[in-house]
Amino acid sequence: MGSRACPGCHTKVPIIALLLAGGVLACPHCQAELESDSASKQVSVWVGLTAGFVAWLAVGHPAGTFGWLLPVLISFAAFSVVTPLALALVGGVCPAGSSQSSEKKRC
């Protein structure tokens, strides 16, 4: 499980705030700018992609004119549900670095 504690005041950040934050979120106690850990984002996306692929394989390829549509919808739904759940389990926070680019930043 990731550490959802603020590095400054060690207050736990709620899971809902972590999931709903588009980028930068504020610590509920000291109002410091925080963001999701990049490693936890990558792990949760890979878990979601794996769930989508397994759902694709489980549905198969039904016959018919729109036979391709059902596996796509089911795999998209699996990815959309599993990725936030995985982020809630492994998500951590780190200070938001405004001076570094997001590609070079490591939490």
Side-chain angles (χ1 to χ4, degrees), residues 24-40:
V24 177
L25 64 133
C27 172
H29 185 259
C30 67
Q31 303 302 318
E33 290 184 344
L34 304 171
E35 65 182 1
S36 294
D37 187 11
S38 62
S40 60

Side-chain angles (χ1 to χ4, degrees), residues 4 13 32 40 55-56 58 68 73-74 79 84 88 103:
R4 291 190 334 265
V13 176
S40 60
W56 177 281
W68 59 272
L73 291 176
I74 297 296
F79 175 78
E103 296 169 358

Side-chain angles (χ1 to χ4, degrees), residues 18 31-33 37 48 60-61 76-77 107:
L18 181 66
Q31 303 302 318
E33 290 184 344
D37 187 11
H61 299 289
F76 177 75
C107 293

Side-chain angles (χ1 to χ4, degrees), residues 37-101:
D37 187 11
S38 62
S40 60
K41 286 182 196 175
Q42 291 174 359
V43 167
S44 64
V45 166
W46 279 108
V47 169
L49 286 173
T50 304
F53 181 68
V54 168
W56 177 281
L57 293 177
V59 170
H61 299 289
T65 306
F66 294 106
W68 59 272
L69 187 60
L70 183 63
V72 171
L73 291 176
I74 297 296
S75 62
F76 177 75
F79 175 78
S80 299
V81 169
V82 171
T83 301
L85 291 176
L87 184 61
L89 289 176
V90 300
V93 294
C94 62
S98 59
S99 62
Q100 297 176 343
S101 69

